Amino acid sequence: MHELSIAQNLVELAAEEARRRGLTRVRAVHVRLGVLAGVVKDALLFCFDIVTAGTPLEGARLAIEEVPVEIFCPRCRQPRRLPEPLPMACPECGTRTAEIVHGRELELFALEGEEGEGLGAPDR
Amino acid sequence: MAPRIVELRQNVLKKNDILARELRERFRQAGVYTVNLVSSPGAGKTTLLRETLIRLRDRYRVAALVGDLATDNDGRRLQESGAPVRQITTGTVCHLEAEMVGRALEGWDLAELDFLFIENVGNLVCPASYDLGESLRVVLFSVAEGEDKPLKYPTIVLGADLVIVTKVDLAEAVGFDRHAFYEALQQVRPDLPVLEVSARTGAGMAEWLSRLEEHAPAGRTPAAVPGAPGGEEGGRP
Ligand SMILES: [Zn+2]
């Protein structure tokens, strides 16, 4: 179970970015999680609450958007979304491929919070 | 107080990925080929690695890092090969991270090595998320584990460069269905190369070694090279 390590990394990264961008209070942390990222959503939610306790992110909501698998079909020359994570094959023509476009993301996508008075820190 | 949303789009494991990139660059500059071995517990990583170290040792300078939750059993078994071995005790952590590898390498002169093997913690889930800066990631499946393992652990298969089927000397005894296994693997990664090996009988070892030797540093004379990098033979944690 590596979700605890991942939650720790996530919270550190989010806190650092919040500071850098002048967010005084973080209300929500938005994450994009590929269904093939090898991370269990519920475990990550559980660990997030544990890890944020006593940090500036305490009470923040973790919003996880699950990203389905999309492959690029070499035969159709098209990106195709898979109805199920497996098999890695084009749902139209059945061609097998190793070219994954989406579905392995583990990404801190956005932060939602309040700007500090007078801080007005600009983006980068 | 103005509510605000800032878009970031940053990899959650950015810190590990940066460290792994630095490690990869260090390995490249030192001319050492690094192999990360992952599998579930009991798939035969340690036996395969010990036999690999013994067979490469006459011609190349080899070393190993072995990750383990608590015991040093695997580390001790590997030291029987005579190659320098260091252990990374992870405690409760079920995978190796780039930072742990970097720390374990302290004091080793990588330029003194041709091959560095990293035996990851026995686990088919968590190690998949962590780049260790390796050149080759090998996933081991033993014939005893059942043919559908690749379907159950697709993430580790997606991140692999090579699959080794281990303990093939037992295939018949355990009723290993080769066709079903390859079909399962194909459903996840149709392009992935596979080797079948028995470290016990030596079957398939030659092919595995020649794969590795393709990456041996060019121009190196295959003379016997004395063991330890940085003069720390069989370094223990
Ligand atoms: Zn197609």
Side-chain angles (χ1 to χ4, degrees), chain B:
Chain B
M1 292 284 189
R4 186 169 161 231
I5 294 182
V6 286
E7 236 182 68
L8 298 161
R9 293 178 177 255
Q10 301 218 20
N11 190 329
V12 170
L13 296 175
K14 187 171 98 171
K15 211 168 100 189
N16 184 78
D17 291 348
I18 291 170
L19 289 173
R21 209 154 51 224
E22 287 168 8
L23 277 176
R24 186 167 283 113
E25 181 56 20
R26 262 178 78 190
F27 296 143
R28 195 189 62 78
Q29 284 187 3
V32 54
Y33 190 73
T34 306
V35 181
N36 179 7
L37 299 172
V38 292
S39 79
S40 38
K45 280 191 302 299
T46 310
T47 308
L48 177 74
L49 182 48
R50 191 189 61 212
E51 292 306 308
T52 304
L53 292 171
I54 289 170
R55 285 164 160 87
L56 285 177
R57 203 178 171 243
D58 297 338
R59 285 164 295 143
Y60 302 99
R61 300 170 300 179
V62 293
L65 298 178
V66 49
D68 213 320
L69 291 171
T71 71
D72 64 351
N73 295 348
D74 289 354
R76 272 185 293 145
R77 277 174 65 206
L78 286 174
Q79 275 170 3
E80 293 164 13
S81 72
V85 174
R86 278 188 180 180
Q87 191 185 330
I88 305 174
T89 306
T90 58
T92 55
V93 181
C94 46
H95 56 267
L96 292 178
E97 299 184 10
E99 192 264 333
M100 301 174 189
V101 172
R103 235 183 314 137
L105 290 173
E106 271 171 34
W108 270 8
D109 182 3
L110 291 175
E112 295 291 308
L113 286 179
D114 300 319
F115 291 100
L116 173 67
F117 294 88
I118 303 170
E119 182 182 330
N120 219 309
V121 180
N123 183 339
L124 280 175
V125 180
C126 313
S129 297
Y130 296 87
D131 183 0
L132 304 180
E134 73 270 25
S135 312
L136 188 78
R137 186 176 297 185
V138 184
V139 180
L140 280 64
F141 292 110
S142 75
V143 294
E145 288 173 70
E147 294 79 10
D148 59 350
K149 265 276 172 85
L151 297 174
K152 287 183 180 161
Y153 300 94
T155 306
I156 201 99
V157 173
L158 290 171
D161 302 302
L162 173 70
V163 164
I164 295 184
V165 184
T166 57
K167 307 187 186 182
V168 291
D169 55 308
L170 300 177
E172 210 172 315
V174 298
F176 179 63
D177 183 341
R178 234 177 216 92
H179 177 79
F181 175 79
Y182 279 88
E183 172 57 27
L185 201 55
Q186 289 263 315
Q187 288 196 24
V188 186
R189 270 284 295 277
D191 63 340
L192 200 56
V194 186
L195 292 176
E196 296 188 13
V197 169
S198 164
R200 201 164 67 91
T201 66
M205 283 300 285
E207 203 183 339
W208 159 234
L209 294 176
S210 73
R211 284 237 179 183
L212 291 172
E213 285 176 278
E214 283 168 23
H215 302 281
R220 184 141 284 154
T221 44
V225 213
E232 201 180 332
E233 185 119 25
R236 292 284 293 270

Side-chain angles (χ1 to χ4, degrees), chain A residues 73-77 80 90-95:
Chain A
C73 175
R75 183 142 163 224
C76 306
R77 312 292 311 160
R80 301 269 191 216
C90 175
E92 300 295 322
C93 72
T95 304

Side-chain angles (χ1 to χ4, degrees), chain A residues 26-88:
Chain A
V26 177
R27 285 175 180 270
V29 175
H30 292 263
V31 165
R32 285 169 59 88
L33 177 63
V35 297
L36 288 172
V39 173
V40 179
K41 182 181 170 178
D42 287 342
L44 188 59
L45 285 166
F46 177 73
C47 293
F48 183 81
D49 288 342
I50 293 174
V51 171
T52 49
T55 77
L57 269 79
E58 184 164 351
R61 179 172 63 93
L62 177 61
I64 299 177
E65 182 198 339
E66 284 190 285
V67 183
V69 183
E70 190 180 301
I71 52 118
F72 186 85
C73 175
R75 183 142 163 224
C76 306
R77 312 292 311 160
Q78 288 280 339
R80 301 269 191 216
R81 179 173 291 194
L82 303 188
E84 299 283 334
L86 293 173
M88 295 290 165

